[in-house]
Amino acid sequence: SRPSPPPTPATETAPAAQRGGEASAALASRAALQRAMLATAFAAECRPGSDVVPLRALERILRRAQVPGAGSLPTPGDELGHLEMSFCEVVEAAHRMRARHSAGAT
């Protein structure tokens, strides 16, 4: 029987690459779940036939979607509470809240 060839850098790092792929898949799955939770919370606040929500609904949406720090948002006053936000703007707000929470946790 022939001896097996010596390990190459590619075969030595294959398990590490596999773990990296699993971590990447887990992050992608988590991001998809977070986006789905935001979409559900956003849809719950939308009026029929509308694709925007009032700014005053932002805190409720972020809380329902379990975005860390959602309770620390200032409540918009009457002069701003009527402004509307699209789903993309809500996603951006959630992203900023998560980034702020992560930066504070480290």
Side-chain angles (χ1 to χ4, degrees):
S1 112
R2 296 173 67 186
S4 59
T8 64
T11 59
E12 288 176 346
T13 59
Q18 184 179 8
R19 285 190 304 274
E22 290 169 1
S24 177
L27 286 175
S29 176
R30 183 175 174 192
L33 178 62
Q34 289 174 343
R35 189 168 177 93
M37 290 174 66
L38 270 175
T40 301
F42 183 87
E45 290 290 334
C46 278
R47 292 179 304 267
S50 177
D51 60 353
V52 294
V53 295
L55 178 60
R56 67 179 153 269
L58 180 61
E59 182 183 355
R60 283 191 306 271
I61 293 169
L62 297 179
R63 280 181 187 254
R64 282 184 185 148
Q66 300 177 6
V67 175
S72 66
L73 288 174
T75 304
D78 290 337
E79 66 280 355
L80 297 177
H82 70 282
L83 296 176
E84 296 180 328
M85 298 181 73
S86 69
F87 180 66
C88 290
E89 291 169 322
V90 171
V91 169
E92 182 62 29
H95 175 74
R96 288 181 182 173
M97 293 293 295
R98 287 186 183 110
R100 185 179 307 150
H101 180 69
S102 293
T106 56

